[in-house]
């Protein structure tokens, strides 16, 4: 591995801006790295060599012309394949989108391009972002760079694997129920789910519209913060986009890195721990809490009594919204079309296309969601789940009267083996135990590496009130500065 792929995004941006290295050299180093290791990692579904080099060249030309650069200009990024990219394949991990090249850019794609960030390609994911392992991708799983026999988390597992394997310093994930935080945790990197509405959903292929939120991955808290500030901000094309200033997350990351949390009140959520959690994860979490105490934080135990119902509520609300959102994939407008032989009726074509185009988990979710929304059951399932959602938001509100942030493990488990849980939906769903409350409440949360258990990364989750994303970054950066950096994923050729 060359030095160029080892650097953080902040370091790379500074090196490009100062002329120490060109953006084209940086892009080429990462493309070489992808060529070297992605056969094993399978983080990417599509590598856009020409587009990346052209974008890098444009940055170098700006530098030559003496133009002002944005803070991440020339830094490579891997984009989750659920975010639409003009002219580039966008599959959402599904066969049903095969061959589709979107005619437009998502708002975040546009912002990333406008910032001079160099998009290397599109990353693998669970189909329509449904899953925790990338095993639900129609294009085969991604592999965890720490142990290629294990999952890199999901649904944004290609994005987490790309950053953990030094194929890109930055990537974009989306988090509906934990799909940025859990993959970050199990690959030993940083991932943040912004406050719902902080980042535009325009051009995100929708899974569950009231929960979906794109967020940044990086190997440091500062890198994630720099990318957060690029993608966040009001967008008139998304009706749920927040009007108002972007949370000052870069300043918060810099302040946090000074390592002083004196006076910060941190609540340990009693309900997110104990039975069902791996002992190594719990030990790492306890050590993390002691580290935070050592930084001057005021640690308290806090109870959020309804968090235990988050899983049941989420797995009604998300499939319900998905069953409605996925109705648009009917073989008429996008990608795959099956059975169009002039004999089959239009209805048959739609049904044959959906039968062939959707994988098993997507079909399961559509069936659960359709059932939960059907007349006679609506109140009993969807209605009840929405009430639980309100109770969870109230738990957060009550907790944030006592403390500034809440902490928990990011996931009950370290990365598990590929194939180990794929046949047991419940075993897969419980990966989301820690991340779902913040998803349902629309509140921000970050996962920061908190050490190793049996040689595999563990994540610390830091949750803040809505619109206070900067608290996640401040506490996360202070914690990061206080712990040993993770070392040497076992992937061939990775040395750090
Ligand atoms: N694992 C969760 C699910 O399968 C969350 C996915 C996500 O956040 N996109 O729904």
């Amino acid at each position: 591995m060359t030095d160029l792929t080892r650097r953080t995004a902040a370091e790379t941006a500074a090196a490009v801006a100062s002329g120490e290295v060109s953006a084209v050299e940086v892009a080429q180093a990462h493309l070489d790295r992808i060529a070297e290791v992605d056969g094993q990692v399978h983080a990417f579904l599509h590598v856009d060599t020409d587009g990346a080099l052209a974008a890098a060249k444009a940055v170098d030309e700006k530098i030559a012309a003496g133009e002002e650069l944005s803070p991440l200009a020339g830094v490579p990024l891997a984009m989750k394949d659920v975010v639409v990219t003009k002219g580039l394949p966008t599959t959402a991990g599904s066969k049903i989108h095969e061959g589709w090249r979107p005619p437009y850019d998502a708002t975040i794609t546009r912002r990333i391009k406008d910032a001079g960030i160099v998009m290397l390609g599109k990353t693998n994911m669970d189909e329509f972002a449904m899953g925790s392992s990338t095993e639900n991708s129609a294009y085969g799983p991604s592999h965890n760079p720490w142990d290629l026999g294990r999952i890199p988390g999901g649904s944004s597992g290609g994005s987490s694997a790309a950053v953990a394997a030094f194929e890109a310093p930055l990537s974009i994930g989306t988090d509906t129920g934990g799909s940025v935080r859990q993959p970050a945790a199990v690959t030993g990197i940083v991932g943040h789910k912004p406050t719902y509405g902080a980042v535009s959903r325009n051009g995100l292929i929708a899974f569950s519209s009231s929960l979906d939120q794109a967020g940044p991955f990086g190997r440091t808290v500062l890198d994630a913060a720099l990318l957060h500030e690029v993608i966040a901000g009001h967008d008139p094309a998304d009706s749920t986009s927040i009007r108002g200033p972007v949370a000052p997350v870069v300043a918060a990351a810099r302040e946090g890195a000074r390592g002083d949390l004196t006076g910060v009140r941190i609540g340990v959520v009693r309900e997110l721990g104990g039975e069902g959690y791996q002992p190594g994860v719990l030990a790492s979490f306890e050590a993390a809490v002691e580290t935070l105490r050592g930084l001057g934080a005021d640690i308290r135990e806090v109870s959020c009594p309804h968090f235990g119902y988050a899983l049941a509520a989420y797995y009604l609300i998300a499939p319900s919204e998905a069953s409605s959102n996925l109705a648009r994939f009917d073989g008429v407008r996008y990608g795959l079309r099956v059975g169009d032989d002039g004999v089959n009726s239009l209805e048959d074509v739609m049904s044959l296309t959906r039968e062939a185009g959707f994988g098993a988990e997507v079909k399961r979710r559509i069936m659960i969601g359709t059932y939960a929304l059907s007349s006679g059951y609506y109140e009993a399932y969807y209605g009840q789940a929405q009430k639980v959602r309100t109770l969870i938001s109230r738990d957060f509100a009550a907790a944030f009267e006592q403390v500034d942030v809440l902490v928990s493990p990011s996931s009950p488990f370290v990365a598990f083996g590929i194939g180990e849980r794929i046949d047991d939906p419940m075993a897969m769903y419980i990966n989301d135990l820690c991340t779902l409350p913040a998803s349902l409440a629309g509140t921000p949360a970050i996962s920061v590496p908190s050490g190793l258990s049996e040689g595999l990364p563990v994540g610390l989750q830091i949750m803040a009130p809505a619109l206070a994303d900067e608290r996640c970054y401040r506490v996360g950066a202070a914690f990061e500065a206080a712990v040993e950096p993770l070392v040497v994923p076992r992937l061939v050729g990775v040395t750090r």
Side-chain angles (χ1 to χ4, degrees):
M1 180 170 56
T2 68
D3 271 339
L4 294 182
T5 56
R6 198 184 297 193
R7 293 178 180 183
T8 67
E11 289 164 354
T12 298
V16 169
S18 74
E20 181 214 321
V21 58
S22 72
V24 167
E25 286 171 299
V26 171
Q28 191 59 56
H30 286 87
L31 292 166
D32 291 347
R33 176 70 181 164
I34 293 168
E36 182 194 356
V37 301
D38 209 54
Q40 297 168 78
V41 180
H42 192 224
F44 285 87
L45 291 178
H46 180 80
V47 178
D48 183 24
T49 304
D50 293 347
L53 291 173
K57 191 158 166 268
V59 171
D60 288 335
E61 283 166 4
K62 275 195 174 179
I63 294 173
E67 282 178 44
E68 181 102 4
L69 293 180
S70 51
L72 286 174
V75 178
L77 171 141
M79 180 67 97
K80 185 175 182 180
D81 207 25
V82 76
V83 180
V84 306
T85 44
K86 188 176 178 178
L88 282 188
T90 300
T91 66
S94 183
K95 288 276 180 223
I96 210 156
H97 273 129
E98 219 165 53
W100 184 55
R101 288 182 187 245
Y104 71 108
D105 274 331
T107 297
I108 62 170
T109 305
R110 172 101 332 263
R111 287 192 177 170
I112 281 166
K113 289 181 177 174
D114 288 349
I117 296 171
V118 174
M119 208 168 65
L120 297 169
K122 308 295 294 288
T123 58
N124 197 18
M125 54 181 285
D126 286 298
E127 184 175 7
F128 285 102
M130 298 172 187
S132 302
S133 68
T134 73
E135 291 167 290
N136 293 330
S137 168
Y139 304 96
S142 298
H143 300 260
N144 192 320
W146 290 79
D147 178 345
L148 294 171
R150 294 177 190 263
I151 59 102
S155 61
S156 316
S159 289
S160 63
V163 170
F166 299 87
E167 294 172 276
L170 296 173
S171 63
I172 291 287
T174 58
D175 190 313
T176 302
S179 281
V180 168
R181 292 162 283 162
Q182 181 259 6
V186 301
T187 57
I189 64 171
V190 177
H192 180 71
K193 181 196 88 78
T195 298
Y196 180 81
V199 176
S200 170
R201 288 184 297 110
N202 175 49
L204 237 65
I205 296 174
F207 164 13
S208 179
S209 305
S210 75
L211 296 160
D212 297 343
Q213 191 64 191
F217 285 109
R219 289 189 295 265
T220 67
V221 174
L222 177 61
D223 281 3
L226 287 162
L227 182 55
H228 181 124
E229 289 199 3
V230 170
I231 59 174
H234 181 64
D235 178 15
D238 172 359
S239 63
T240 59
S241 165
I242 292 165
R243 280 170 205 278
V246 172
V249 296
V250 171
R254 293 215 160 98
E255 187 193 335
R258 294 206 294 268
D260 183 10
L261 293 179
T262 307
V264 177
R265 297 166 303 164
I266 296 183
V268 174
V269 184
R270 189 185 305 153
E271 287 77 9
L272 298 180
E275 211 185 319
Y277 287 65
Q278 279 175 347
V281 168
L282 292 177
S284 169
F285 178 66
E286 277 162 29
V289 170
E290 287 320 305
T291 299
L292 293 167
R293 199 194 302 276
L295 293 168
D298 170 5
I299 308 285
R300 308 175 183 190
E301 193 183 79
V302 168
S303 175
C304 296
H306 301 95
F307 280 17
Y309 303 102
L311 191 93
Y314 172 87
Y315 278 98
L316 287 167
I317 292 169
S320 296
E321 294 185 11
S323 72
S324 160
N325 273 324
L326 269 54
R328 64 172 70 94
F329 303 112
D330 54 11
V332 176
R333 282 165 291 192
Y334 311 92
L336 190 74
R337 183 172 174 89
V338 176
D340 187 8
D341 57 4
V343 179
N344 281 320
S345 69
L346 179 61
E347 245 173 45
D348 288 341
V349 171
M350 289 179 176
S351 130
L352 288 166
T353 300
R354 288 166 70 82
E355 165 62 29
F358 289 137
E361 182 62 26
V362 172
K363 287 176 182 158
R364 181 181 295 123
R365 304 277 179 116
I366 291 173
M367 284 190 280
I368 294 171
T370 306
Y371 183 81
L373 292 177
S374 57
S375 123
Y377 293 105
Y378 182 91
E379 237 338 284
Y381 292 114
Y382 190 75
Q384 285 297 104
Q386 290 290 20
K387 287 178 190 158
V388 170
R389 192 171 185 176
T390 300
L391 294 173
I392 288 169
S393 292
R394 288 188 191 154
D395 279 0
F396 271 113
F400 288 132
E401 279 178 13
Q402 304 163 55
V403 294
D404 302 305
V405 296
L406 294 168
V407 291
S408 75
S410 299
S411 166
F413 324 112
V414 295
F416 48 89
I418 291 176
E420 245 172 53
R421 290 174 184 248
I422 192 64
D423 296 324
D424 183 350
M426 274 312 288
M428 195 65 84
Y429 298 169
I430 56 174
N431 275 282
D432 307 326
L433 272 180
C434 313
T435 47
L436 290 173
S439 299
L440 290 165
T443 47
I446 200 167
S447 179
V448 179
S450 73
L452 301 176
S453 164
E454 291 165 39
L456 294 166
V458 178
L460 169 69
Q461 178 176 233
I462 304 158
M463 298 168 272
L467 303 178
D469 296 59
E470 68 277 7
R471 293 187 199 173
C472 300
Y473 285 92
R474 179 179 169 206
V475 175
F479 180 73
E480 174 184 65
V483 293
E484 285 285 303
L486 298 184
V487 283
V488 200
R490 274 175 261 168
L491 174 67
V492 179
V494 178
T495 46
R496 191 178 170 193

